[in-house]
Amino acid sequence: MSLFESNMKFLNKQYSSLVQLVGDEATEFDQPLLTRNNEPNFKISLKENSYFLHSKYNAREEAKKWVKSLLDDIKGVKHICIFGVGMGYFLEELLEECHAKDVFIFEPSVEVFEAWVNTRDISQVLSHPKIRIVAVGADPYLPLQIADEIAGHITGTFKLIVPPIYKRLYPELLANFETNLKDMMIKSISNMQTNKLYENTWITNILFNLKTIIRTPTLWEMKDLWKGSGARAIIVGSGPSLKKDVHYLHLLKDKCLIIAAGSSIQALQHFGIDPHFVVSMDGSSNNNKVFDNIDTSRVPLVFCPPVYYEIVDKYQSGKYYVGFENDPITKYMLKENEIPNFFSTSTVTGTAIQIAAFFGMTEIILMGQDLSYTEDEYYAPGVNHVAEDQKEKYIKKTDMWVENVEGGRNKTIGSMEVLRQDVELLVQVMKHRGVNIVNTSKKGAVIQGTTWISMDDLFPQLEMLESREYVPSKYISISNDADQEGKKNEIIIKLENVLKANENLSNTLHKLVASINKLQKVLSIRNYNKVNHEILKINELWNEVTKEDVFNVFYSYSLSHYINIYMRYVTEIVETNNIFKKAELIILHLGSLVHKMKEFSPELEGTIKSSIKRLEDD
């Protein structure tokens, strides 16, 4: 078997997604470029220049010197990402010297990776137990995907390291990747904090909203409705700049789809404008105040199941729902394929953008999306669900600044920066899907990836668009009463089955707690056989738990914050050879999770019983 065939066999087994990047064995590698020390090297051409990836004399020695120069920087670092591995020398020396728990690999050149596979044995280094991710390629969306994956692993200190040649070869890609890493880590922390805050609220909203969902259509019939038509959508936010351009919306009602993102519905009705629909997803009871201040009979509502249920209960106009990819409960309860599912973002603007793209629109316009305190103002006129003294308090507390679209600076705060960065990430995803996002928010914060155009300049172009009917009711049919009643009965039966499953799971959790407590006792006397016996017993009980639908659907959703923390330590638990250290990790991390699950069990029972009563009383 040739070296190439051996490497391909290894990739097929360990990294099958990378196989397609490597073509058939190429003749150019029959006589590989060698260093003076007879090591395979590679010359890469970029922008009419050629560069050797490694020293022309001694590639391994060069790699050793580079890693030694990093030792102080990576000492005690738990997670390392290496951007660029060349022909493997950099990676081999790094793995030899570093004490990190995890190593993530991003090689931006398919050409380099192919040369490595053709000329050197990759199996030993890429099968190293520290390696968690191996990603290859310069796809513009790939750095974002890798950053997201890495953010999901982090439990301690992190360091990005880059061989000097890669800093010269890929400065823009590297800068983009560094930004993605920063943004995804901030987003990961923000998501975990949000999940912890709303762990009980969201599941209550989803289950309580089932009463409305079974009588409400989705937006599925509008999928790709305006694909290729040149139709455009305007996503309206409640930022202060809205007052400067809101008058244009009166003139564009039949030219563009106008979507109110959350609280902007207050501002729009204040100015006498009814958008084609309003989107709401906020699960907090504070969101109720937004809809207390508007006429809900005038504008259709598109809601996500986790939205605060009282809003949905009392809303008077037409209602439609869409799903989130990370909501397994709605999918489990309905078992319907025709639900538009979008990925969750920290701002309702992100959901509105995805809805417009779902309709087939390839140009989406942002208005009033300031994502900062433009001219020291908090909201557009008419947005009054937050008291004036509270708004002033927020603005006075600001200690951050962000660049605005006119070259100046706006005040902002950390939570608003998370929203802005989240929108920027979505803009990148949309661009990858062929959707262009135009920002018209005067003096609003810069949103990287968007095209900024003043609405004054854009309006003449929009005014020339074909007039259309954008009202959802024109395109969506309503199910009959018999179908709705059948759905209700099916859901009641499912909820009753979940109650029984939750009772069984609760019993298993009691056994787990007893076994974890026993593990702690036998650990204190350092009895190897007894410790090992309890670990095996805990593993068996935990496997029982994780096989149950009630865990994978309800517990995994509501306790995702705690499960994510535990999952970040699973690799360390599995790979720890010291049985006593393994026991300590199980007691600490699995023990904490099981404790939260025990607390959650009666709460879930109560919520399900209340949901069943709501359905039966309807």
Side-chain angles (χ1 to χ4, degrees):
M1 185 183 293
S2 69
L3 174 65
F4 175 80
E5 289 170 338
S6 175
N7 281 339
M8 291 301 287
K9 183 178 179 181
F10 168 78
L11 286 179
N12 266 301
K13 185 177 180 181
Q14 298 292 332
Y15 299 98
S16 57
S17 62
L18 300 180
V19 171
Q20 61 186 2
L21 298 177
V22 184
D24 295 332
E25 192 168 5
T27 54
E28 64 182 285
F29 299 114
D30 289 344
Q31 294 181 323
L33 184 66
L34 299 175
T35 68
R36 294 272 181 92
N37 208 37
N38 286 320
E39 304 154 307
N41 201 350
F42 190 74
K43 186 186 287 188
I44 190 167
S45 298
L46 282 177
K47 297 179 180 177
E48 300 180 354
N49 292 311
S50 295
Y51 304 87
F52 284 95
L53 275 183
H54 302 283
S55 165
K56 290 185 282 185
Y57 302 94
N58 192 324
R60 186 168 297 282
E61 188 61 30
E62 174 197 39
K64 281 182 179 179
K65 288 179 180 177
W66 172 67
V67 171
K68 283 184 179 177
S69 73
L70 296 172
L71 289 180
D72 287 342
D73 286 341
I74 63 176
K75 185 179 181 181
V77 173
K78 197 170 184 180
H79 313 277
I80 291 175
C81 177
I82 178 170
F83 179 94
V85 294
M87 303 294 284
Y89 306 110
F90 298 127
L91 179 60
E92 288 163 1
E93 294 304 319
L94 174 67
L95 291 169
E96 185 72 26
E97 295 288 342
C98 82
H99 299 287
K101 181 176 79 74
D102 300 322
V103 173
F104 310 102
I105 299 166
F106 179 19
E107 170 51 60
S109 172
V110 174
E111 189 181 22
V112 170
F113 182 70
E114 189 174 17
W116 184 24
V117 171
N118 273 272
T119 58
R120 300 192 69 224
D121 180 13
I122 65 170
S123 60
Q124 187 171 354
V125 63
L126 289 186
S127 59
H128 196 286
K130 289 182 186 291
I131 294 175
R132 304 291 172 231
I133 294 170
V134 180
V136 178
D139 184 301
Y141 187 43
L142 186 60
L144 185 62
Q145 289 178 299
I146 302 164
D148 189 24
E149 284 282 328
I150 291 173
H153 280 80
I154 301 301
T155 61
T157 50
F158 172 83
K159 184 78 175 176
L160 174 65
I161 60 172
V162 189
I165 185 64
Y166 279 84
K167 291 180 181 179
R168 293 174 60 195
L169 290 172
Y170 302 101
E172 293 178 4
L173 184 62
L174 176 58
N176 180 42
F177 184 48
E178 288 177 319
T179 300
N180 288 154
L181 281 168
K182 175 187 168 188
D183 290 347
M184 293 311 296
M185 287 179 187
I186 291 172
K187 183 181 177 183
S188 178
I189 294 167
S190 174
N191 285 347
M192 289 179 75
Q193 291 172 338
T194 303
N195 290 343
K196 184 178 180 181
L197 183 64
Y198 292 107
E199 61 188 41
N200 295 324
T201 305
W202 285 339
I203 192 168
T204 299
N205 289 334
I206 291 170
L207 292 177
F208 280 18
N209 279 329
L210 286 172
K211 183 185 81 168
T212 303
I213 286 172
I214 59 175
R215 303 192 184 283
T216 301
T218 74
L219 295 179
W220 187 263
E221 290 177 79
M222 295 179 71
K223 179 175 172 58
D224 292 332
L225 182 64
W226 291 296
K227 188 175 183 178
S229 68
R232 302 184 197 181
I234 300 175
I235 313 294
V236 183
S238 52
S241 71
L242 180 61
K243 65 179 182 288
K244 299 175 182 178
D245 290 326
V246 69
H247 58 283
Y248 286 118
L249 297 179
H250 285 286
L251 306 171
L252 294 172
K253 188 71 183 285
D254 63 341
K255 301 294 184 178
C256 298
L257 172 68
I258 300 172
I259 305 175
S263 61
S264 69
I265 186 62
Q266 295 177 95
L268 291 176
Q269 288 200 349
H270 171 80
F271 287 106
I273 296 167
D274 289 330
H276 295 108
F277 56 83
V278 55
V279 181
S280 190
M281 65 174 215
D282 187 351
S284 71
S285 58
N286 287 335
N287 194 21
N288 214 14
K289 296 176 184 177
V290 171
F291 293 89
D292 281 341
N293 295 321
I294 67 163
D295 183 349
T296 63
S297 67
R298 287 162 43 186
V299 181
L301 170 71
V302 175
F303 68 93
C304 305
V307 75
Y308 188 61
Y309 71 94
E310 286 188 13
I311 294 169
V312 179
D313 281 353
K314 67 188 179 186
Y315 206 88
Q316 296 175 41
S317 187
K319 290 177 270 195
Y320 309 88
Y321 76 95
V322 295
F324 281 140
E325 291 287 355
N326 66 344
D327 166 15
I329 298 174
T330 304
K331 295 174 187 175
Y332 180 80
M333 295 309 304
L334 299 180
K335 293 290 186 185
E336 290 184 5
N337 295 322
E338 296 183 351
I339 303 174
N341 281 306
F342 307 121
F343 55 84
S344 175
T345 62
S346 55
T347 168
V348 68
T349 293
T351 306
I353 288 171
Q354 291 177 82
I355 289 172
F358 178 80
F359 293 158
M361 296 185 175
T362 54
E363 182 158 296
I364 297 170
I365 300 157
L366 305 181
M367 180 187 284
Q369 302 288 351
D370 296 43
L371 298 170
S372 60
Y373 299 133
T374 303
E375 296 177 335
D376 286 355
E377 292 181 300
Y378 197 94
Y379 279 130
V383 181
N384 53 19
H385 64 287
V386 177
E388 289 302 319
D389 60 339
Q390 194 66 34
K391 294 178 189 177
E392 290 177 14
K393 184 179 176 183
Y394 284 141
I395 295 171
K396 284 179 182 177
K397 282 173 64 179
T398 56
D399 56 355
M400 298 173 66
W401 295 85
V402 65
E403 183 184 356
N404 70 36
V405 295
E406 296 184 11
R409 297 196 308 163
N410 294 351
K411 287 181 179 178
T412 189
I413 55 175
S415 58
M416 200 171 287
E417 270 296 274
V418 170
L419 301 184
R420 186 182 68 84
Q421 290 167 3
D422 216 17
V423 172
E424 289 183 340
L425 292 173
L426 179 61
V427 167
Q428 287 188 50
V429 174
M430 289 292 111
K431 188 176 289 186
H432 187 67
R433 296 177 181 176
V435 178
N436 182 45
I437 311 290
V438 175
N439 183 19
T440 67
S441 310
K442 288 187 174 76
K443 280 195 177 180
V446 170
I447 304 173
Q448 296 293 339
T450 63
T451 304
W452 194 85
I453 304 175
S454 167
M455 184 54 80
D456 305 324
D457 296 329
L458 186 61
F459 175 73
Q461 186 185 137
L462 299 178
E463 195 178 26
M464 298 299 292
L465 292 173
E466 176 187 337
S467 294
R468 292 182 172 88
E469 284 192 299
Y470 288 107
V471 182
S473 60
K474 298 287 183 182
Y475 307 98
I476 297 175
S477 53
I478 307 295
S479 61
N480 60 50
D481 290 343
D483 288 341
Q484 293 173 3
E485 195 64 24
K487 268 188 189 178
K488 181 175 87 169
N489 293 332
E490 286 177 13
I491 286 175
I492 289 173
I493 291 170
K494 280 187 180 180
L495 288 172
E496 289 172 342
N497 289 334
V498 173
L499 271 179
K500 294 174 186 173
N502 186 52
E503 185 180 349
N504 293 334
L505 186 67
S506 181
N507 293 332
T508 307
L509 290 174
H510 281 290
K511 293 176 185 176
L512 256 173
V513 170
S515 198
I516 289 171
N517 289 339
K518 190 171 180 182
L519 175 63
Q520 195 157 19
K521 289 178 182 177
V522 297
L523 178 63
S524 65
I525 60 173
R526 282 315 204 236
N527 186 309
Y528 181 94
N529 290 333
K530 288 183 178 180
V531 167
N532 189 54
H533 175 75
E534 287 306 321
I535 287 176
L536 293 173
K537 188 175 177 182
I538 289 168
N539 188 53
E540 185 180 335
L541 288 168
W542 183 241
N543 283 338
E544 281 184 35
V545 168
T546 58
K547 287 175 184 175
E548 295 296 327
D549 283 350
V550 67
F551 170 80
N552 291 307
V553 175
F554 295 89
Y555 284 75
S556 291
Y557 180 76
S558 288
L559 301 182
S560 61
H561 167 73
Y562 302 98
I563 292 172
N564 285 341
I565 291 173
Y566 168 67
M567 291 304 295
R568 291 169 188 242
Y569 290 96
V570 166
T571 302
E572 188 174 353
I573 292 170
V574 171
E575 293 181 356
T576 298
N577 293 321
N578 185 309
I579 195 74
F580 301 123
K581 177 63 176 175
K582 189 188 290 282
E584 290 171 359
L585 291 170
I586 289 170
I587 292 166
L588 177 61
H589 300 298
L590 182 59
S592 297
L593 174 57
V594 170
H595 176 70
K596 292 304 299 184
M597 291 173 67
K598 267 196 70 185
E599 288 181 348
F600 174 68
S601 181
E603 293 171 3
L604 176 61
E605 179 184 348
T607 303
I608 291 173
K609 286 179 177 178
S610 297
S611 180
I612 290 172
K613 189 174 188 313
R614 280 170 59 86
L615 286 160
E616 290 175 338
D617 292 346
D618 186 32

